[in-house]
Amino acid sequence: MLYHKLGKIPHKRHTVFEKPDGGLYYEQLFGTEGFSGVSSLLYHVHRPTMITQIGESIDVTPKAAVDKNITSRMLRGWDVPPADDFLESRKVVLFNNDLNITLAAPRKGTGDYFYKNADADEVIFVHKGKGKLRTMVGNLEFGYADYIVIPRGMIYQIEFETEDNRLLITESFSPIVTPKRYRNNFGQLLEHSPFCERDFRLPDELETHDEIGEFRMFIRKENTVHEVVYGSHPFDVVGWDGYNFPYIFSALDFEPITGRVHQPPPVHQTFEGWNFVICTFAPRMYDYHPQAIPAPYNHSNIDSDEVLYYVDGDFMSRNHVEKGYISLHPAGIPHGPHPGTYEGSIGKKETLELAVMVDTFAPPTTATTRPGPAPITPASGCRCSAQDVAPGRSDR
């Protein structure tokens, strides 16, 4: 948890803050979990409540393709076709009551509209592409291997420098936080944490638009995207301070915890929400016991389903994965390294693999990819059996 501020703010909260040419700036508490969660205080040129029109609404509720699954699966994530529009490109592939796991291949950003996800915090992992996230509390530049953490309710636009972009998006219906065991009682990351506060990139460019007009926005609430029109520019904040804001953490800044023998997956944990965790498998040295077996041991998924998204490098425990593949190993059945990789890992000194894992403690359902006709197809040669689908790098 970090305190941050940008722009101009008054000395005390909830007090008169005058504009240079007369009148008052309008204070807004941007908070979570009622008044008990993290919050920021924003100061607007115009009233932030100026909604002038409510337009059409679109149901984007994910639909189950397979329910109550016990089959290990491999999905080719990059088979999701590109789309021009950022929102249209987003395809939910796995979901439950705690989160959506979404893929996107946008050729362009949000264009002339704004977006607010009022349902979920978003963790956008950038597999391909770079650009700029613009928000009401400041801007952030992003690139390859960045996690962009956007709290729910944040108004934003996203811009890409190229048309070849690939994103993995975790939408969390609970707040996204860093692991509790890595924080002290004051919220500071401890010395044994695989990352620290200086690794986080915070908003550093505050845009203030003093504009009255019609500003198109899409708001996601209860799995419905509503089109609304604001009467003033959403980015009219002159200053703010607090703890609730977007930030970026690069997976390449994750410092892996290694040991003499194979380490369990909690050492890779990066974020968590209610009933799930997000882990980063970053390039690292392998175990250094003279008889160590670097490949993960066979293990039973008793209480959690494991989702592993493959980003880059040579995935030592797998024989047939490519960039953008997603493996799903459901609770209830054991899994382990692909045949031959357990023995083949002996003597290996390092791995350059990069992967993102999402472990869920409620089973995720595979989804039809709506809105839009963009099916996710099984990997080549995969009949979705325990033998055909090799396990992921996780040991959870």
Side-chain angles (χ1 to χ4, degrees):
M1 186 182 301
L2 291 170
Y3 172 81
H4 190 44
K5 64 180 179 180
L6 280 178
K8 301 177 294 183
I9 59 175
H11 177 63
K12 295 287 289 183
R13 297 181 296 175
H14 321 319
T15 59
V16 170
F17 186 20
E18 294 184 335
K19 299 177 182 178
D21 56 354
L24 299 178
Y25 291 113
Y26 296 92
E27 186 181 59
Q28 176 195 2
L29 180 68
F30 180 63
T32 62
E33 299 179 296
F35 289 84
S36 62
V38 294
S39 65
S40 292
L41 274 174
L42 285 56
Y43 296 88
H44 295 265
V45 175
H46 302 284
R47 289 183 296 111
T49 55
M50 295 169 60
I51 296 176
T52 61
Q53 183 179 337
I54 304 292
E56 296 183 356
S57 298
I58 303 172
D59 180 14
V60 293
T61 305
K63 304 299 181 183
V66 178
D67 198 10
K68 296 182 179 179
N69 176 59
I70 196 65
T71 304
S72 294
R73 298 180 181 277
M74 179 71 79
L75 306 175
R76 287 199 303 243
W78 281 15
D79 278 5
V80 169
D84 283 343
D85 180 73
F86 172 68
L87 291 184
E88 182 65 24
S89 75
R90 294 164 65 127
K91 309 297 181 185
V92 176
V93 294
L94 294 160
F95 69 96
N96 60 25
N97 289 333
D98 304 312
L99 82 167
N100 294 333
I101 297 176
T102 299
L103 296 177
R107 293 191 186 95
K108 301 176 183 177
T110 49
D112 61 354
Y113 67 84
F114 301 83
Y115 181 57
K116 177 197 296 187
N117 192 334
D119 275 340
D121 287 19
E122 296 183 353
V123 181
I124 302 177
F125 180 81
V126 183
H127 193 166
K128 292 187 71 176
K130 61 179 180 178
K132 178 179 286 191
L133 179 77
R134 303 174 62 199
T135 82
M136 61 184 183
V137 297
N139 302 336
L140 287 159
E141 294 185 354
F142 62 82
Y144 169 73
D146 279 342
Y147 290 104
I148 310 171
V149 181
I150 306 174
R152 74 199 59 215
M154 178 62 60
I155 301 172
Y156 72 85
Q157 294 181 315
I158 192 165
E159 302 170 350
F160 297 98
E161 294 185 10
T162 67
E163 293 190 352
D164 186 13
N165 307 293
R166 291 282 172 176
L167 310 174
L168 170 71
I169 305 173
T170 303
E171 297 178 277
S172 171
F173 305 128
S174 60
I176 287 289
V177 297
T178 53
K180 185 177 180 180
R181 69 181 178 279
Y182 290 145
R183 291 182 270 116
N184 63 23
N185 291 337
F186 303 97
Q188 182 180 12
L189 288 165
L190 294 164
E191 287 295 303
H192 67 279
S193 170
F195 49 88
C196 72
E197 289 84 358
R198 69 176 62 180
D199 296 319
F200 297 159
R201 307 203 304 271
L202 312 185
D204 60 1
E205 179 187 36
L206 183 64
E207 296 184 31
T208 303
H209 295 261
D210 182 359
E211 300 177 38
I212 297 294
E214 295 185 347
F215 300 90
R216 188 178 181 214
M217 183 179 302
F218 291 101
I219 301 175
R220 179 170 181 148
K221 181 66 176 175
E222 296 181 306
N223 281 327
T224 301
V225 175
H226 305 274
E227 182 177 359
V228 302
V229 176
Y230 271 46
S232 61
H233 198 293
F235 299 164
D236 72 338
V237 174
V238 298
W240 65 274
D241 76 331
Y243 292 81
N244 194 18
F245 51 86
Y247 65 92
I248 289 177
F249 172 69
S250 172
L252 302 180
D253 284 330
F254 188 91
E255 299 300 332
I257 297 172
T258 59
R260 276 168 48 89
V261 295
H262 192 79
Q263 299 296 296
V267 302
H268 304 288
Q269 188 181 344
T270 312
F271 305 106
E272 64 184 41
W274 175 253
N275 257 358
F276 74 93
V277 298
I278 299 175
C279 299
T280 303
F281 290 89
R284 61 196 180 277
M285 300 300 295
Y286 276 142
D287 326 309
Y288 51 88
H289 187 284
Q291 294 183 305
I293 300 178
Y297 34 78
N298 297 292
H299 53 287
S300 293
N301 283 21
I302 301 300
D303 297 313
S304 64
D305 283 44
E306 173 190 296
V307 178
L308 199 64
Y309 178 85
Y310 299 91
V311 181
D312 261 323
D314 181 16
F315 303 104
M316 172 268 296
S317 64
R318 306 301 295 272
N319 285 335
H320 66 281
V321 296
E322 299 176 11
K323 295 178 181 181
Y325 275 29
I326 300 174
S327 61
L328 167 65
H329 297 284
I333 57 175
H335 70 277
H338 194 272
T341 61
Y342 188 71
E343 298 83 356
S345 72
I346 298 173
K348 298 288 182 66
K349 301 299 183 183
E350 65 175 350
T351 176
L352 299 180
E353 69 183 9
L354 181 62
V356 177
M357 185 178 76
V358 183
D359 269 7
T360 68
F361 296 96
T365 300
T366 54
T368 59
T369 52
R370 61 174 289 157
I376 304 231
T377 58
S380 175
C382 171
R383 298 179 57 84
C384 296
S385 70
Q387 291 76 27
D388 292 328
V389 181
R393 275 290 297 139
S394 158
D395 309 11
R396 176 173 283 281

